[in-house]
Amino acid sequence: MRSPLATRLAASALAIVALGGAAGCAADPGASNPVPTSTATSAPDPTPTTEAPTAEPTPEPTASPAPQYGAFTFEQLAQICIDATVSSYAPDVVFDIPNTRIEQRIVTPEWLVIVPAATMGYQGQSVCTIGGTPAEHQLELGSGSIEQLPEEQIQNLIRGENEGGDR
């Protein structure tokens, strides 16, 4: 006579052997591919979908610095502002040129340039108004600060209002 536990173990062993026999071809290396193949078939579908959006934004950042801002490029305006304000910061300052904001103003100089900066653990920004040409640029406002300008003040600068009391 067998105990109930021995019977269950024997039945489990028999089931494992039966499953192994029924899926005997699954033990072959070539036969194990059909199961993962169906799983792999669903995996490549999301892969092209994921790759397509990744591939599209890559040209956009490359294209965004290329547009001209009057006679200037994105990089030229950012660098003019950095050069004008770098002395306002500690020597550890790091400028975030890719996140520079450039707005066209309705007054001269026509470009408002805001370059994010990090110094001494603070997040600040350099703010400049620039016009003219790259060879002979006109810098009216050049300020570096560890404080962020509120959007309302940025809009005032775009309109040429409240620039130190001269307008």
Side-chain angles (χ1 to χ4, degrees):
M1 293 190 141
R2 287 188 191 168
S3 71
L5 178 60
T7 305
R8 277 190 255 153
L9 287 173
S12 295
L14 183 61
I16 290 170
V17 170
L19 286 175
C25 59
D28 295 339
S32 64
N33 286 342
V35 174
T37 303
S38 63
T39 305
T41 304
S42 62
D45 292 338
T47 304
T49 306
T50 304
E51 289 176 14
T54 304
E56 291 175 18
T58 303
E60 291 176 21
T62 304
S64 63
Q68 296 290 315
Y69 295 89
F72 298 95
T73 64
F74 178 91
E75 291 86 2
Q76 287 171 327
L77 287 170
Q79 192 61 53
I80 291 168
C81 190
I82 289 169
D83 292 344
T85 61
V86 69
S87 64
S88 301
Y89 299 103
D92 73 338
V93 66
V94 176
F95 294 95
D96 185 4
I97 294 173
N99 287 312
T100 296
R101 178 176 174 182
I102 300 174
E103 298 285 345
Q104 187 166 16
R105 295 170 17 112
I106 59 174
V107 296
T108 57
E110 70 179 310
W111 303 107
L112 173 65
V113 181
I114 303 170
V115 184
T119 184
M120 297 174 41
Y122 294 99
Q123 296 298 317
Q125 55 190 194
S126 291
V127 179
C128 303
T129 54
I130 303 170
T133 65
E136 295 182 27
H137 61 269
Q138 173 193 6
L139 180 75
E140 188 173 292
L141 169 70
S143 168
S145 174
I146 58 171
E147 294 184 22
Q148 303 281 321
L149 279 180
E151 186 61 30
E152 180 182 345
Q153 181 60 30
I154 292 170
Q155 294 305 313
N156 286 342
L157 290 170
I158 291 170
R159 291 188 302 270
E161 300 169 358
N162 195 18
E163 293 184 17
D166 62 326
R167 292 185 193 263

PDB file of all heavy atoms in Angstrom, residues 30-67:
ATOM      1  N   GLY A  30      16.100  23.264 -31.641  1.00  0.00           N
ATOM      2  CA  GLY A  30      15.313  23.859 -32.722  1.00  0.00           C
ATOM      3  C   GLY A  30      13.857  23.989 -32.366  1.00  0.00           C
ATOM      4  O   GLY A  30      13.156  24.851 -32.848  1.00  0.00           O
ATOM      5  N   ALA A  31      13.340  23.097 -31.498  1.00  0.00           N
ATOM      6  CA  ALA A  31      11.930  23.112 -31.149  1.00  0.00           C
ATOM      7  C   ALA A  31      11.628  24.153 -30.090  1.00  0.00           C
ATOM      8  O   ALA A  31      10.507  24.593 -29.978  1.00  0.00           O
ATOM      9  CB  ALA A  31      11.504  21.732 -30.661  1.00  0.00           C
ATOM     10  N   SER A  32      12.590  24.561 -29.311  1.00  0.00           N
ATOM     11  CA  SER A  32      12.313  25.566 -28.279  1.00  0.00           C
ATOM     12  C   SER A  32      12.127  26.940 -28.897  1.00  0.00           C
ATOM     13  O   SER A  32      11.582  27.823 -28.278  1.00  0.00           O
ATOM     14  CB  SER A  32      13.427  25.585 -27.234  1.00  0.00           C
ATOM     15  OG  SER A  32      14.639  25.997 -27.841  1.00  0.00           O
ATOM     16  N   ASN A  33      12.567  27.128 -30.132  1.00  0.00           N
ATOM     17  CA  ASN A  33      12.411  28.421 -30.794  1.00  0.00           C
ATOM     18  C   ASN A  33      10.973  28.779 -31.116  1.00  0.00           C
ATOM     19  O   ASN A  33      10.627  29.941 -31.067  1.00  0.00           O
ATOM     20  CB  ASN A  33      13.261  28.475 -32.067  1.00  0.00           C
ATOM     21  CG  ASN A  33      14.734  28.612 -31.745  1.00  0.00           C
ATOM     22  OD1 ASN A  33      15.090  28.999 -30.639  1.00  0.00           O
ATOM     23  ND2 ASN A  33      15.585  28.283 -32.703  1.00  0.00           N
ATOM     24  N   PRO A  34      10.082  27.805 -31.472  1.00  0.00           N
ATOM     25  CA  PRO A  34       8.712  28.221 -31.797  1.00  0.00           C
ATOM     26  C   PRO A  34       8.021  28.932 -30.646  1.00  0.00           C
ATOM     27  O   PRO A  34       7.328  29.899 -30.855  1.00  0.00           O
ATOM     28  CB  PRO A  34       7.992  26.918 -32.150  1.00  0.00           C
ATOM     29  CG  PRO A  34       9.082  26.015 -32.626  1.00  0.00           C
ATOM     30  CD  PRO A  34      10.283  26.395 -31.819  1.00  0.00           C
ATOM     31  N   VAL A  35       8.228  28.494 -29.412  1.00  0.00           N
ATOM     32  CA  VAL A  35       7.576  29.176 -28.300  1.00  0.00           C
ATOM     33  C   VAL A  35       8.130  30.586 -28.140  1.00  0.00           C
ATOM     34  O   VAL A  35       7.394  31.546 -28.130  1.00  0.00           O
ATOM     35  CB  VAL A  35       7.692  28.345 -26.998  1.00  0.00           C
ATOM     36  CG1 VAL A  35       7.152  29.125 -25.814  1.00  0.00           C
ATOM     37  CG2 VAL A  35       6.965  27.026 -27.157  1.00  0.00           C
ATOM     38  N   PRO A  36       9.476  30.764 -28.053  1.00  0.00           N
ATOM     39  CA  PRO A  36       9.996  32.125 -27.977  1.00  0.00           C
ATOM     40  C   PRO A  36       9.751  32.909 -29.248  1.00  0.00           C
ATOM     41  O   PRO A  36       9.667  34.112 -29.212  1.00  0.00           O
ATOM     42  CB  PRO A  36      11.495  31.941 -27.728  1.00  0.00           C
ATOM     43  CG  PRO A  36      11.604  30.595 -27.092  1.00  0.00           C
ATOM     44  CD  PRO A  36      10.502  29.791 -27.709  1.00  0.00           C
ATOM     45  N   THR A  37       9.655  32.221 -30.414  1.00  0.00           N
ATOM     46  CA  THR A  37       9.428  32.946 -31.644  1.00  0.00           C
ATOM     47  C   THR A  37       8.112  33.696 -31.586  1.00  0.00           C
ATOM     48  O   THR A  37       8.029  34.848 -31.974  1.00  0.00           O
ATOM     49  CB  THR A  37       9.443  31.992 -32.862  1.00  0.00           C
ATOM     50  OG1 THR A  37      10.694  31.324 -32.868  1.00  0.00           O
ATOM     51  CG2 THR A  37       9.245  32.743 -34.153  1.00  0.00           C
ATOM     52  N   SER A  38       7.065  33.044 -31.035  1.00  0.00           N
ATOM     53  CA  SER A  38       5.796  33.751 -30.937  1.00  0.00           C
ATOM     54  C   SER A  38       5.908  34.907 -29.950  1.00  0.00           C
ATOM     55  O   SER A  38       5.337  35.958 -30.149  1.00  0.00           O
ATOM     56  CB  SER A  38       4.666  32.794 -30.544  1.00  0.00           C
ATOM     57  OG  SER A  38       4.921  32.266 -29.256  1.00  0.00           O
ATOM     58  N   THR A  39       6.695  34.723 -28.895  1.00  0.00           N
ATOM     59  CA  THR A  39       6.927  35.820 -27.961  1.00  0.00           C
ATOM     60  C   THR A  39       7.798  36.876 -28.620  1.00  0.00           C
ATOM     61  O   THR A  39       7.553  38.058 -28.501  1.00  0.00           O
ATOM     62  CB  THR A  39       7.628  35.298 -26.679  1.00  0.00           C
ATOM     63  OG1 THR A  39       6.843  34.245 -26.149  1.00  0.00           O
ATOM     64  CG2 THR A  39       7.805  36.388 -25.665  1.00  0.00           C
ATOM     65  N   ALA A  40       8.835  36.417 -29.357  1.00  0.00           N
ATOM     66  CA  ALA A  40       9.732  37.357 -30.025  1.00  0.00           C
ATOM     67  C   ALA A  40       9.005  38.097 -31.134  1.00  0.00           C
ATOM     68  O   ALA A  40       9.351  39.212 -31.464  1.00  0.00           O
ATOM     69  CB  ALA A  40      10.937  36.611 -30.579  1.00  0.00           C
ATOM     70  N   THR A  41       7.986  37.456 -31.734  1.00  0.00           N
ATOM     71  CA  THR A  41       7.231  38.126 -32.782  1.00  0.00           C
ATOM     72  C   THR A  41       6.503  39.333 -32.224  1.00  0.00           C
ATOM     73  O   THR A  41       6.445  40.371 -32.849  1.00  0.00           O
ATOM     74  CB  THR A  41       6.221  37.145 -33.423  1.00  0.00           C
ATOM     75  OG1 THR A  41       6.942  36.016 -33.879  1.00  0.00           O
ATOM     76  CG2 THR A  41       5.473  37.794 -34.554  1.00  0.00           C
ATOM     77  N   SER A  42       5.990  39.213 -30.995  1.00  0.00           N
ATOM     78  CA  SER A  42       5.307  40.367 -30.428  1.00  0.00           C
ATOM     79  C   SER A  42       6.301  41.405 -29.924  1.00  0.00           C
ATOM     80  O   SER A  42       5.995  42.571 -29.870  1.00  0.00           O
ATOM     81  CB  SER A  42       4.372  39.936 -29.287  1.00  0.00           C
ATOM     82  OG  SER A  42       5.136  39.340 -28.251  1.00  0.00           O
ATOM     83  N   ALA A  43       7.534  40.993 -29.564  1.00  0.00           N
ATOM     84  CA  ALA A  43       8.530  41.943 -29.090  1.00  0.00           C
ATOM     85  C   ALA A  43       9.012  42.877 -30.187  1.00  0.00           C
ATOM     86  O   ALA A  43       9.159  44.057 -29.950  1.00  0.00           O
ATOM     87  CB  ALA A  43       9.702  41.211 -28.448  1.00  0.00           C
ATOM     88  N   PRO A  44       9.264  42.403 -31.439  1.00  0.00           N
ATOM     89  CA  PRO A  44       9.727  43.339 -32.461  1.00  0.00           C
ATOM     90  C   PRO A  44       8.699  44.399 -32.829  1.00  0.00           C
ATOM     91  O   PRO A  44       9.058  45.456 -33.278  1.00  0.00           O
ATOM     92  CB  PRO A  44      10.034  42.456 -33.667  1.00  0.00           C
ATOM     93  CG  PRO A  44      10.322  41.114 -33.084  1.00  0.00           C
ATOM     94  CD  PRO A  44       9.434  41.019 -31.870  1.00  0.00           C
ATOM     95  N   ASP A  45       7.412  44.118 -32.645  1.00  0.00           N
ATOM     96  CA  ASP A  45       6.417  45.134 -32.966  1.00  0.00           C
ATOM     97  C   ASP A  45       6.617  46.396 -32.149  1.00  0.00           C
ATOM     98  O   ASP A  45       6.681  47.477 -32.705  1.00  0.00           O
ATOM     99  CB  ASP A  45       4.989  44.585 -32.782  1.00  0.00           C
ATOM    100  CG  ASP A  45       4.649  43.521 -33.821  1.00  0.00           C
ATOM    101  OD1 ASP A  45       5.305  43.506 -34.887  1.00  0.00           O
ATOM    102  OD2 ASP A  45       3.751  42.716 -33.546  1.00  0.00           O
ATOM    103  N   PRO A  46       6.760  46.308 -30.802  1.00  0.00           N
ATOM    104  CA  PRO A  46       7.025  47.534 -30.044  1.00  0.00           C
ATOM    105  C   PRO A  46       8.386  48.132 -30.343  1.00  0.00           C
ATOM    106  O   PRO A  46       8.569  49.316 -30.270  1.00  0.00           O
ATOM    107  CB  PRO A  46       6.956  47.086 -28.586  1.00  0.00           C
ATOM    108  CG  PRO A  46       6.170  45.826 -28.596  1.00  0.00           C
ATOM    109  CD  PRO A  46       6.442  45.194 -29.930  1.00  0.00           C
ATOM    110  N   THR A  47       9.368  47.301 -30.699  1.00  0.00           N
ATOM    111  CA  THR A  47      10.706  47.818 -30.959  1.00  0.00           C
ATOM    112  C   THR A  47      10.707  48.837 -32.095  1.00  0.00           C
ATOM    113  O   THR A  47      11.205  49.930 -31.914  1.00  0.00           O
ATOM    114  CB  THR A  47      11.699  46.666 -31.230  1.00  0.00           C
ATOM    115  OG1 THR A  47      11.659  45.784 -30.112  1.00  0.00           O
ATOM    116  CG2 THR A  47      13.098  47.184 -31.441  1.00  0.00           C
ATOM    117  N   PRO A  48      10.124  48.541 -33.287  1.00  0.00           N
ATOM    118  CA  PRO A  48      10.108  49.578 -34.328  1.00  0.00           C
ATOM    119  C   PRO A  48       9.312  50.801 -33.894  1.00  0.00           C
ATOM    120  O   PRO A  48       9.672  51.906 -34.215  1.00  0.00           O
ATOM    121  CB  PRO A  48       9.453  48.893 -35.527  1.00  0.00           C
ATOM    122  CG  PRO A  48       9.663  47.428 -35.294  1.00  0.00           C
ATOM    123  CD  PRO A  48       9.671  47.266 -33.806  1.00  0.00           C
ATOM    124  N   THR A  49       8.240  50.602 -33.142  1.00  0.00           N
ATOM    125  CA  THR A  49       7.453  51.744 -32.675  1.00  0.00           C
ATOM    126  C   THR A  49       8.291  52.613 -31.755  1.00  0.00           C
ATOM    127  O   THR A  49       8.273  53.819 -31.843  1.00  0.00           O
ATOM    128  CB  THR A  49       6.192  51.242 -31.934  1.00  0.00           C
ATOM    129  OG1 THR A  49       5.485  50.353 -32.782  1.00  0.00           O
ATOM    130  CG2 THR A  49       5.310  52.389 -31.524  1.00  0.00           C
ATOM    131  N   THR A  50       9.074  51.974 -30.874  1.00  0.00           N
ATOM    132  CA  THR A  50       9.926  52.730 -29.963  1.00  0.00           C
ATOM    133  C   THR A  50      11.048  53.399 -30.729  1.00  0.00           C
ATOM    134  O   THR A  50      11.386  54.537 -30.455  1.00  0.00           O
ATOM    135  CB  THR A  50      10.514  51.777 -28.892  1.00  0.00           C
ATOM    136  OG1 THR A  50       9.430  51.124 -28.243  1.00  0.00           O
ATOM    137  CG2 THR A  50      11.330  52.532 -27.885  1.00  0.00           C
ATOM    138  N   GLU A  51      11.630  52.700 -31.712  1.00  0.00           N
ATOM    139  CA  GLU A  51      12.740  53.272 -32.458  1.00  0.00           C
ATOM    140  C   GLU A  51      12.292  54.435 -33.333  1.00  0.00           C
ATOM    141  O   GLU A  51      13.027  55.388 -33.497  1.00  0.00           O
ATOM    142  CB  GLU A  51      13.388  52.208 -33.328  1.00  0.00           C
ATOM    143  CG  GLU A  51      14.171  51.182 -32.521  1.00  0.00           C
ATOM    144  CD  GLU A  51      14.719  50.078 -33.394  1.00  0.00           C
ATOM    145  OE1 GLU A  51      14.734  50.228 -34.628  1.00  0.00           O
ATOM    146  OE2 GLU A  51      15.126  49.050 -32.836  1.00  0.00           O
ATOM    147  N   ALA A  52      11.103  54.377 -33.876  1.00  0.00           N
ATOM    148  CA  ALA A  52      10.655  55.437 -34.763  1.00  0.00           C
ATOM    149  C   ALA A  52      10.583  56.790 -34.051  1.00  0.00           C
ATOM    150  O   ALA A  52      11.148  57.756 -34.531  1.00  0.00           O
ATOM    151  CB  ALA A  52       9.322  55.075 -35.402  1.00  0.00           C
ATOM    152  N   PRO A  53       9.933  56.904 -32.865  1.00  0.00           N
ATOM    153  CA  PRO A  53       9.943  58.205 -32.196  1.00  0.00           C
ATOM    154  C   PRO A  53      11.333  58.626 -31.751  1.00  0.00           C
ATOM    155  O   PRO A  53      11.655  59.780 -31.757  1.00  0.00           O
ATOM    156  CB  PRO A  53       9.034  58.005 -30.985  1.00  0.00           C
ATOM    157  CG  PRO A  53       8.162  56.851 -31.342  1.00  0.00           C
ATOM    158  CD  PRO A  53       9.007  55.989 -32.239  1.00  0.00           C
ATOM    159  N   THR A  54      12.183  57.662 -31.383  1.00  0.00           N
ATOM    160  CA  THR A  54      13.535  58.008 -30.978  1.00  0.00           C
ATOM    161  C   THR A  54      14.308  58.567 -32.159  1.00  0.00           C
ATOM    162  O   THR A  54      15.067  59.502 -32.015  1.00  0.00           O
ATOM    163  CB  THR A  54      14.259  56.762 -30.411  1.00  0.00           C
ATOM    164  OG1 THR A  54      13.469  56.238 -29.348  1.00  0.00           O
ATOM    165  CG2 THR A  54      15.633  57.100 -29.910  1.00  0.00           C
ATOM    166  N   ALA A  55      14.086  57.999 -33.332  1.00  0.00           N
ATOM    167  CA  ALA A  55      14.810  58.467 -34.511  1.00  0.00           C
ATOM    168  C   ALA A  55      14.324  59.841 -34.957  1.00  0.00           C
ATOM    169  O   ALA A  55      15.088  60.630 -35.470  1.00  0.00           O
ATOM    170  CB  ALA A  55      14.657  57.455 -35.638  1.00  0.00           C
ATOM    171  N   GLU A  56      13.057  60.153 -34.777  1.00  0.00           N
ATOM    172  CA  GLU A  56      12.529  61.439 -35.222  1.00  0.00           C
ATOM    173  C   GLU A  56      13.044  62.616 -34.400  1.00  0.00           C
ATOM    174  O   GLU A  56      13.452  63.601 -34.974  1.00  0.00           O
ATOM    175  CB  GLU A  56      11.000  61.414 -35.207  1.00  0.00           C
ATOM    176  CG  GLU A  56      10.424  60.504 -36.279  1.00  0.00           C
ATOM    177  CD  GLU A  56       8.923  60.384 -36.170  1.00  0.00           C
ATOM    178  OE1 GLU A  56       8.316  61.235 -35.511  1.00  0.00           O
ATOM    179  OE2 GLU A  56       8.368  59.441 -36.735  1.00  0.00           O
ATOM    180  N   PRO A  57      13.047  62.563 -33.047  1.00  0.00           N
ATOM    181  CA  PRO A  57      13.536  63.716 -32.294  1.00  0.00           C
ATOM    182  C   PRO A  57      15.015  63.998 -32.494  1.00  0.00           C
ATOM    183  O   PRO A  57      15.448  65.108 -32.307  1.00  0.00           O
ATOM    184  CB  PRO A  57      13.274  63.345 -30.835  1.00  0.00           C
ATOM    185  CG  PRO A  57      12.184  62.353 -30.892  1.00  0.00           C
ATOM    186  CD  PRO A  57      12.399  61.605 -32.180  1.00  0.00           C
ATOM    187  N   THR A  58      15.808  63.015 -32.896  1.00  0.00           N
ATOM    188  CA  THR A  58      17.228  63.250 -33.093  1.00  0.00           C
ATOM    189  C   THR A  58      17.480  64.349 -34.122  1.00  0.00           C
ATOM    190  O   THR A  58      18.244  65.248 -33.849  1.00  0.00           O
ATOM    191  CB  THR A  58      17.948  61.942 -33.478  1.00  0.00           C
ATOM    192  OG1 THR A  58      17.704  60.989 -32.455  1.00  0.00           O
ATOM    193  CG2 THR A  58      19.433  62.153 -33.665  1.00  0.00           C
ATOM    194  N   PRO A  59      16.814  64.346 -35.295  1.00  0.00           N
ATOM    195  CA  PRO A  59      17.053  65.443 -36.235  1.00  0.00           C
ATOM    196  C   PRO A  59      16.552  66.791 -35.715  1.00  0.00           C
ATOM    197  O   PRO A  59      17.122  67.807 -36.025  1.00  0.00           O
ATOM    198  CB  PRO A  59      16.283  65.041 -37.493  1.00  0.00           C
ATOM    199  CG  PRO A  59      16.085  63.576 -37.370  1.00  0.00           C
ATOM    200  CD  PRO A  59      16.053  63.274 -35.901  1.00  0.00           C
ATOM    201  N   GLU A  60      15.498  66.804 -34.908  1.00  0.00           N
ATOM    202  CA  GLU A  60      14.957  68.075 -34.437  1.00  0.00           C
ATOM    203  C   GLU A  60      15.944  68.874 -33.594  1.00  0.00           C
ATOM    204  O   GLU A  60      16.149  70.036 -33.859  1.00  0.00           O
ATOM    205  CB  GLU A  60      13.648  67.848 -33.675  1.00  0.00           C
ATOM    206  CG  GLU A  60      12.527  67.402 -34.577  1.00  0.00           C
ATOM    207  CD  GLU A  60      11.273  67.090 -33.814  1.00  0.00           C
ATOM    208  OE1 GLU A  60      11.125  67.581 -32.687  1.00  0.00           O
ATOM    209  OE2 GLU A  60      10.442  66.349 -34.345  1.00  0.00           O
ATOM    210  N   PRO A  61      16.590  68.275 -32.554  1.00  0.00           N
ATOM    211  CA  PRO A  61      17.567  69.067 -31.815  1.00  0.00           C
ATOM    212  C   PRO A  61      18.722  69.525 -32.687  1.00  0.00           C
ATOM    213  O   PRO A  61      19.260  70.591 -32.495  1.00  0.00           O
ATOM    214  CB  PRO A  61      18.062  68.121 -30.723  1.00  0.00           C
ATOM    215  CG  PRO A  61      16.952  67.161 -30.527  1.00  0.00           C
ATOM    216  CD  PRO A  61      16.324  67.014 -31.885  1.00  0.00           C
ATOM    217  N   THR A  62      19.096  68.727 -33.672  1.00  0.00           N
ATOM    218  CA  THR A  62      20.146  69.139 -34.580  1.00  0.00           C
ATOM    219  C   THR A  62      19.678  70.324 -35.414  1.00  0.00           C
ATOM    220  O   THR A  62      20.420  71.253 -35.668  1.00  0.00           O
ATOM    221  CB  THR A  62      20.533  67.971 -35.515  1.00  0.00           C
ATOM    222  OG1 THR A  62      20.893  66.863 -34.695  1.00  0.00           O
ATOM    223  CG2 THR A  62      21.679  68.336 -36.423  1.00  0.00           C
ATOM    224  N   ALA A  63      18.389  70.310 -35.787  1.00  0.00           N
ATOM    225  CA  ALA A  63      17.864  71.373 -36.629  1.00  0.00           C
ATOM    226  C   ALA A  63      17.558  72.637 -35.837  1.00  0.00           C
ATOM    227  O   ALA A  63      17.666  73.733 -36.358  1.00  0.00           O
ATOM    228  CB  ALA A  63      16.603  70.894 -37.343  1.00  0.00           C
ATOM    229  N   SER A  64      17.185  72.528 -34.550  1.00  0.00           N
ATOM    230  CA  SER A  64      16.769  73.711 -33.815  1.00  0.00           C
ATOM    231  C   SER A  64      17.877  74.744 -33.620  1.00  0.00           C
ATOM    232  O   SER A  64      17.602  75.922 -33.720  1.00  0.00           O
ATOM    233  CB  SER A  64      16.142  73.325 -32.466  1.00  0.00           C
ATOM    234  OG  SER A  64      17.082  72.671 -31.654  1.00  0.00           O
ATOM    235  N   PRO A  65      19.162  74.363 -33.349  1.00  0.00           N
ATOM    236  CA  PRO A  65      20.179  75.393 -33.245  1.00  0.00           C
ATOM    237  C   PRO A  65      20.539  76.023 -34.586  1.00  0.00           C
ATOM    238  O   PRO A  65      21.115  77.083 -34.633  1.00  0.00           O
ATOM    239  CB  PRO A  65      21.392  74.669 -32.669  1.00  0.00           C
ATOM    240  CG  PRO A  65      20.864  73.425 -32.080  1.00  0.00           C
ATOM    241  CD  PRO A  65      19.636  73.088 -32.856  1.00  0.00           C
ATOM    242  N   ALA A  66      20.218  75.371 -35.699  1.00  0.00           N
ATOM    243  CA  ALA A  66      20.609  75.858 -37.015  1.00  0.00           C
ATOM    244  C   ALA A  66      19.857  77.099 -37.482  1.00  0.00           C
ATOM    245  O   ALA A  66      20.425  77.876 -38.225  1.00  0.00           O
ATOM    246  CB  ALA A  66      20.466  74.739 -38.033  1.00  0.00           C
ATOM    247  N   PRO A  67      18.591  77.324 -37.093  1.00  0.00           N
ATOM    248  CA  PRO A  67      17.901  78.492 -37.639  1.00  0.00           C
ATOM    249  C   PRO A  67      18.624  79.787 -37.296  1.00  0.00           C
ATOM    250  O   PRO A  67      19.237  79.911 -36.243  1.00  0.00           O
ATOM    251  CB  PRO A  67      16.530  78.471 -36.964  1.00  0.00           C
ATOM    252  CG  PRO A  67      16.358  77.098 -36.471  1.00  0.00           C
ATOM    253  CD  PRO A  67      17.733  76.558 -36.226  1.00  0.00           C
TER     254      PRO A  67
END
